Amino acid sequence: MILIDRMREDIQAVFDRDPAARTTLEVVLTYSGLHAIWFHRIAHFLWQHDVKLLGRIVSAFSRFLTGIEIHPGARIGRRLFIDHGTGVVIGETSEIGDDVLIYQGVTLGGTSLRKEKRHPTIEDQVMVSAGAAVIGPVRIGRGSRIGAGAVVVSSAPPYSTIVGIPGKVIEGESTRQDIVTLDHAHLPDPVARAINGLVEKLNQLGVRLEEIEERQDCLDDKLVPPEPPSNGAVAKEPAE
Ligand SMILES: CC(C)(COP(=O)(O)OP(=O)(O)OC[C@H]1O[C@@H](n2cnc3c(N)ncnc32)[C@H](O)[C@@H]1OP(=O)(O)O)[C@@H](O)C(=O)NCCC(=O)NCCS
């Protein structure tokens, strides 16, 4: 019964997050993300009950059918929706909370070769956009959004928006209060801010250099020796 309820909420998650979904039959028959999660539940059950080889076989079969590779050891919460799905890879020690949305081409990958926690932890209600890679045992706080193509290598607090390579938080809980008065379409960009800082510093250095050059010109003018007098008289040394 629980199994049926879980399947129902998985299907509902598709309707909630994909405006292209039309009928339940269509969703059940054609959404490979849904198939991958259902296969993963079987594979994970086998993995946990020490039937590891069979778990791997189910996972490999699922990858063959769906193009989505989820290691049977990965812990996945409720209502995960993998949209489109092709090329998604979820590593062995990944942990995914509830109501997470993952698009095609996402990698939740490891960096260490040791048998330890080496894959990301994705908290509830996170969105991982197309082609993003989250690498290493980092933690992405609840409600965060990872931009398309981002490569995230460090943890992010809840409600962050992370974009770029390496992934930078352009909006987070710490900036929430400011955002009330900010234009949401123009959130601060930390890279642009750093570049602007450098340009400002360069301008200051330019002004300073011009001042130094002017002083140098004045000194040079003072040090020019006086012209010798034309009538042959000996020029007087300038007074000290
Ligand atoms: C990250 C994301 C969720 C942010 O959306 P948003 O809150 O509407 O943000 P905005 O579009 O206003 O962009 C805010 C800033 O981040 C930048 N930005 C947004 N997405 C980016 C990305 N993927 N990579 C790099 N920079 C990005 C914008 O250029 C903008 O910078 P600026 O302030 O210097 O102009 C969204 O841009 C995104 O990547 N969505 C992908 C969804 C997806 O994968 N869909 C696939 C469906 S098949």
Side-chain angles (χ1 to χ4, degrees):
M1 206 59 201
I2 288 180
L3 194 68
I4 302 288
D5 285 346
R6 291 282 160 90
M7 288 173 92
R8 275 212 187 101
E9 65 179 26
D10 290 335
I11 295 167
Q12 188 54 45
V14 176
F15 284 109
D16 291 344
R17 280 174 274 169
D18 184 9
R22 292 184 320 126
T23 64
T24 302
L25 187 64
E26 182 186 279
V27 167
V28 170
L29 292 179
T30 67
Y31 274 64
S32 53
L34 205 57
H35 304 154
I37 288 166
W38 290 343
F39 275 120
H40 175 71
R41 296 235 171 93
I42 299 167
H44 187 61
F45 177 86
L46 293 168
W47 189 262
Q48 278 188 316
H49 290 81
D50 235 9
V51 196
K52 292 199 162 48
L53 178 61
L54 200 53
R56 286 305 296 254
I57 291 170
V58 171
S59 163
F61 181 64
S62 167
R63 183 187 55 188
F64 175 73
L65 279 186
T66 65
I68 297 168
E69 179 170 341
I70 309 178
H71 192 284
R75 292 163 182 268
I76 294 181
R78 290 166 65 177
R79 299 175 295 276
L80 167 67
F81 175 37
I82 302 177
D83 201 0
H84 308 294
T86 308
V88 167
V89 177
I90 298 177
E92 179 185 359
T93 61
S94 302
E95 291 166 81
I96 298 178
D98 295 337
D99 301 300
V100 169
L101 170 59
I102 291 179
Y103 285 105
Q104 69 275 13
V106 164
T107 300
L108 304 185
T111 44
S112 161
L113 297 180
R114 268 173 276 168
K115 286 194 174 296
E116 57 187 9
K117 166 75 175 162
R118 59 190 187 283
H119 297 96
T121 298
I122 308 289
E123 292 185 359
D124 298 348
Q125 294 165 11
V126 169
M127 174 179 95
V128 193
S129 299
V134 190
I135 308 290
V138 299
R139 175 175 283 270
I140 306 300
R142 62 177 288 122
S144 294
R145 297 177 309 159
I146 298 174
V151 178
V152 182
V153 290
S154 38
S155 296
Y159 304 106
S160 302
T161 300
I162 309 145
V163 299
I165 302 174
K168 302 260 187 235
V169 175
I170 57 165
E171 182 202 336
E173 217 170 29
S174 56
T175 59
R176 284 268 137 171
Q177 284 173 340
D178 302 348
I179 281 169
V180 175
T181 55
L182 274 181
D183 178 357
H184 284 235
H186 297 95
L187 299 171
D189 179 343
V191 177
R193 216 159 32 205
I195 292 173
N196 287 341
L198 284 174
V199 169
E200 204 176 305
K201 198 77 190 157
L202 268 180
N203 287 339
Q204 286 171 359
L205 285 174
V207 171
R208 188 90 184 97
L209 192 64
E210 273 174 22
E211 283 172 9
I212 291 171
E213 279 174 349
E214 270 172 28
R215 279 196 204 160
Q216 186 66 43
D217 286 348
C218 288
L219 276 176
D220 288 349
D221 286 348
K222 279 186 188 165
L223 289 176
V224 171
E227 291 284 317
S230 53
N231 59 6
V234 180
K236 278 188 186 169
E237 285 292 317
E240 285 295 312

